[in-house]
Amino acid sequence: CMIEQSGLVAEAGAGFSIYDIDAPEEEPEDFDEFWDALKAKLDAIPMDANVQLHTRSAQSTTYRVDLANIDDRRVYGYVTIPAGAGPFPAILTLPSAGNIPNISVPEVFMAELANVIAMSISIHNAAPDQADPNGYLPDDITDREGNYYNQAILGAIRSIDYLFSMPQFDGENLGVVGVSQGGGLSLMVSGIDQRVKLMVQSNAAMCNHAGLKYDEASAYPFYLFRNRLFDGSIQNLDKIVEASKYYDATYFARRYKGPSFHTIGYRDNVCPPATTLAAYNQMLGSKVLLHA
């Protein structure tokens, strides 16, 4: 609601029965088989790590890294290693939405203050300080095989492969973190990669895609709204609903059993709190929710 008094406007949000919010439809029966097949496709590709020095200080060293992904793509990012003998835990930061330079940056403060290996990646096929001319393309949201995020999720898993190959990593304590798009990706990756031991997200996107079909909230990237805006056909709507289930963080979330920390924002209309709550309510491990 909005309240105006003396020329000032204040906004407020509220929730009702928020812990009862659930996905409006059942997950696909072959959800796990679909993602197991994609992970096997990635496993068959050598990592082919290309590592170059980026910056160095007395407290840490940062490298540029790029790794082989599916469909002749590369995963680009940075990895910062704190000074000291190690071994260290590791945190993988997944990016917010966008295709401009420096959406992903070195997480130097995280590495130095938390004494962890801090890796951050882009989901696009270009170095993170560059824009990808084909960012978010191709993206066939009517086909589960054609969704742009399949390579993004696998790119995060490939980055975890790289972290586990590092001698400085302790081989056990791995967290994934992200905001908005990165929050949704964190929910997804932690759900299908059992190596993740901690998941932290803020205002996660990618949740409750089918909600709009039932006049409920849906989050970025607004698959059903895009159908309403640009197509409007029932045939495409049904295709999008079914295909987007394989990329709905709500279904991934119920597969993660570890500890997690979540933030929702009651003023967020890009990733409405009801959508993130649909995913939060699926999680079986110990969890903390911050209302903002």
Side-chain angles (χ1 to χ4, degrees), residues 119-268:
M119 188 172 188
S120 57
I121 62 168
S122 167
I123 66 167
H124 303 305
N125 199 33
D129 57 356
Q130 302 173 15
D132 180 358
N134 296 310
Y136 294 107
L137 295 173
D139 186 24
D140 183 356
I141 63 176
T142 67
D143 178 6
R144 67 179 189 174
E145 305 286 349
N147 190 298
Y148 189 80
Y149 282 101
N150 66 5
Q151 59 79 30
I153 295 166
L154 293 178
I157 292 173
R158 177 46 43 103
S159 301
I160 293 173
D161 293 339
Y162 176 71
L163 287 168
F164 270 79
S165 77
M166 296 180 63
Q168 299 93 334
F169 176 48
D170 69 14
E172 178 65 21
N173 296 296
L174 170 71
V176 293
V177 305
V179 177
S180 192
Q181 173 186 270
L185 289 171
S186 296
L187 286 165
M188 292 169 156
V189 172
S190 63
I192 60 171
D193 194 322
Q194 301 306 310
R195 294 173 293 181
V196 177
K197 297 299 187 289
L198 173 69
M199 199 286 304
V200 178
Q201 67 80 16
S202 175
N203 299 68
M206 313 296 295
C207 299
N208 217 40
H209 296 314
L212 193 63
K213 179 180 176 182
Y214 302 94
D215 294 324
E216 299 174 2
S218 292
Y220 177 89
F222 310 120
Y223 290 136
L224 271 63
F225 181 74
R226 284 156 64 180
N227 176 70
R228 282 187 182 180
L229 196 61
F230 300 115
D231 183 277
S233 70
I234 294 297
Q235 293 83 358
N236 262 7
L237 176 68
D238 291 340
K239 289 181 181 178
I240 293 169
V241 168
E242 292 306 312
S244 67
K245 288 180 180 179
Y246 296 90
Y247 300 89
D248 194 317
T250 306
Y251 303 129
F252 291 81
R254 61 182 57 157
R255 289 164 164 78
Y256 175 65
K257 307 300 192 298
S260 58
F261 182 89
H262 309 253
T263 301
I264 58 169
Y266 284 98
R267 294 175 62 182
D268 192 335

Side-chain angles (χ1 to χ4, degrees), residues 11-35:
E11 294 185 40
F16 180 79
S17 296
I18 61 175
Y19 301 114
D20 295 329
I21 297 172
D22 199 355
E25 295 195 358
E26 294 298 317
E27 68 178 46
E29 291 184 0
D30 63 347
F31 184 93
D32 291 313
E33 289 84 351
F34 175 75
W35 282 106

